[in-house]
Amino acid sequence: MTARLSDQPWLIAPATRAVMAALEAVGGPGCARFVGGCVRNALIGQPVADIDIATTLTPDETDRAIRAAGLKAVPTGIAHGTVTAVAERRPFEITTLRRDVSTDGRNATVAFTDDWAQDAARRDFRLNALYADADGTVFDPTGEGVADALAGRIIFVGDPQTRIREDYLRILRFFRFHAWYGRGEPDSAALSACRALAPGMSRLSAERVSSELMKLLAAPDPRAAVAAMADAGVLAQLLPEARLSPLFEAAVDQSGDPVVRLMLLLPADERVAREAAVRLRFPNATRDRLAFAAQALPAVSLSMSDREARVALYRHGVPAFRDAVCRRWAEAPAESVPARRLLALAEAWTRPPMPVGGRDLARLGVAPGPDTGRLLKAFEDGWIADDFPAEGHAARLTALVSARRG
């Protein structure tokens, strides 16, 4: 199937043309082609974020060509053939055509080549093994990549088990690409290979796994892909704590936040959430969100009053309160009105500062020490219970001190 990219803004942008012209000035016409996601997304009408380029030039030749054109060249991955060109503050990742010499399931030793078919043969899926010249003419070495992209088929290049054994992360990438670009049932041969080789994911670094998982959960609707992962034993391999349930189904409808979706795959247990996050080396912010939401959950219900909600917000903070509301809403999907009310309240909430401190107690003759902390805690509890009044603090504090002395 022949295809041609339309004149999209990124394709005809001066920065893009400058980079391609710099490469062709050294290697001649056709020495460089756009590759992968930018070609695929342009074909199917999806946004293009990163512009990757493949070239027959060696990394050294690429570096010299970019610099000779007055552009910035950054050797971001010379060992693997990658140089990043920067034109008008936009990065373009340029990689020399490669073939695999050896692989260990995590990393590959590569040799450079000038054969486009060899480069395509080492890629993961046929819809990612697409190239396009500077004028937008598409090249499809596998002969099926364009058709796959248009039909929403995620099919490995060549034998699925061979591709997976080269890099076990491709198991997760299969489900991630199905979530983002797939339509209909997942490819049966790919599913069989993923099921058979799922234990090989234990060789992968936790950071690679967690990054890929979050990209999958960020898809517009990852439910079918996650269900297929569970059925193939892949979800249990990487996140044994996860459980598919109506909660996850509801979470996808209610929020596009991948952390909320992850939260609804896990039990509402702070210890379990922390252990899973630490094992997969999620960022600290993600780990804490999962744990704090579990902490806040007992204090949150969709039937709570605004006053009760303000107490929970003060005690647990806006992010944890909001995440706990999302979980309660997933538990009762029909209760959208109270859930949205609580989320709106949280959005508008500003935590009031504690209106008194140790100096106020010192003025009342309370010496620094354990009594200071106890009195301030008693004041805060009463102030919260009375819905954070803005006045009367001196009288309340004086009464507490008097009661303590009495």
Side-chain angles (χ1 to χ4, degrees):
M1 179 182 294
T2 59
R4 185 182 180 87
L5 304 184
S6 60
D7 288 338
Q8 299 193 5
W10 68 268
L11 183 65
I12 61 177
T16 307
R17 293 193 179 279
V19 171
M20 295 297 278
L23 297 171
E24 291 187 345
V26 172
C31 75
R33 295 173 180 170
F34 304 108
V35 64
C38 61
V39 181
R40 177 198 66 232
N41 282 20
L43 280 172
I44 62 178
Q46 294 292 322
V48 171
D50 301 321
I51 302 175
D52 294 334
I53 298 170
T55 182
T56 56
L57 298 177
T58 66
D60 288 342
E61 290 171 335
T62 297
D63 185 90
R64 288 196 298 271
I66 295 302
R67 295 180 191 278
L71 304 175
K72 182 178 180 180
V74 183
T76 45
I78 288 293
H80 289 86
T82 301
V83 175
T84 298
V86 181
E88 297 184 11
R89 293 184 293 183
R90 177 157 195 173
F92 297 80
E93 194 170 273
I94 307 165
T95 303
T96 301
L97 302 187
R98 298 172 293 178
R99 60 180 178 83
D100 288 340
V101 175
S102 63
T103 59
D104 62 5
R106 293 181 60 177
N107 302 295
T109 300
V110 300
F112 302 134
T113 180
D114 59 3
D115 188 323
W116 295 93
Q118 284 187 332
D119 187 77
R122 68 176 301 276
R123 295 183 179 271
D124 49 11
F125 310 114
R126 298 187 315 202
L127 83 172
N128 288 338
L130 293 171
Y131 307 79
D133 274 354
D135 65 1
T137 300
V138 175
F139 295 84
D140 184 0
T142 71
E144 298 288 348
V146 171
D148 285 353
L150 297 176
R153 294 191 298 260
I154 314 301
I155 298 180
F156 282 98
V157 174
D159 176 60
Q161 291 207 16
T162 300
R163 295 287 81 77
I164 290 171
R165 287 193 176 97
E166 292 167 351
D167 184 353
Y168 284 94
L169 193 69
R170 286 173 172 170
I171 293 176
L172 273 179
R173 284 175 61 83
F174 170 75
F175 294 104
R176 194 247 291 187
F177 275 85
H178 187 74
W180 279 95
Y181 305 110
R183 296 197 297 275
E185 293 296 316
D187 178 60
S188 59
L191 276 178
S192 296
C194 291
R195 181 179 292 105
L197 298 178
M201 291 190 299
S202 62
R203 305 184 187 188
L204 300 171
S205 70
E207 293 87 350
R208 293 182 77 200
V209 169
S210 60
S211 174
E212 198 68 31
L213 176 62
M214 296 309 283
K215 290 176 184 177
L216 189 162
L217 292 176
D221 188 348
R223 286 175 288 197
V226 173
M229 285 175 63
D231 184 63
V234 172
L235 185 60
Q237 183 70 38
L238 64 97
L239 197 64
E241 303 89 345
R243 295 294 182 271
L244 274 184
S245 73
L247 296 186
F248 179 70
E249 294 280 327
V252 173
D253 285 330
Q254 294 161 8
S255 174
D257 186 337
V259 178
V260 170
R261 293 171 174 184
L262 175 63
M263 178 182 72
L264 271 298
L265 280 173
L266 297 172
D269 184 306
E270 179 188 357
R271 180 187 60 80
V272 172
R274 284 193 181 278
E275 287 177 355
V278 169
R279 189 183 68 253
L280 287 180
R281 297 186 184 176
F282 281 108
N284 291 344
T286 300
R287 177 202 64 204
D288 291 344
R289 269 190 71 182
L290 295 171
F292 294 158
Q295 282 182 2
L297 191 64
V300 173
S301 74
L302 298 185
S303 62
M304 68 197 315
S305 67
D306 286 7
R307 181 170 178 164
E308 291 169 327
R310 285 189 284 271
V311 173
L313 280 162
Y314 185 88
R315 296 290 192 191
H316 297 282
V318 172
F321 177 88
R322 188 173 53 229
D323 288 343
V325 169
C326 287
R327 189 175 197 106
R328 292 301 190 205
W329 187 7
E331 292 170 352
E335 299 297 318
S336 62
V337 173
R340 292 185 189 281
R341 173 182 63 83
L342 292 173
L343 291 174
L345 191 154
E347 187 68 26
W349 168 258
T350 299
R351 190 179 197 271
M354 177 77 160
V356 300
R359 291 183 180 180
D360 300 289
L361 287 172
R363 282 194 287 269
L364 295 174
V366 178
D371 268 356
T372 297
R374 285 192 286 266
L375 285 165
L376 289 177
K377 179 65 168 62
F379 175 93
E380 185 181 41
D381 288 343
W383 176 62
I384 293 171
D386 288 345
D387 203 15
F388 313 100
E391 299 176 346
H393 309 315
R396 183 191 298 271
L397 197 61
T398 299
L400 284 171
V401 172
S402 298
R404 177 74 58 146
R405 286 171 176 165

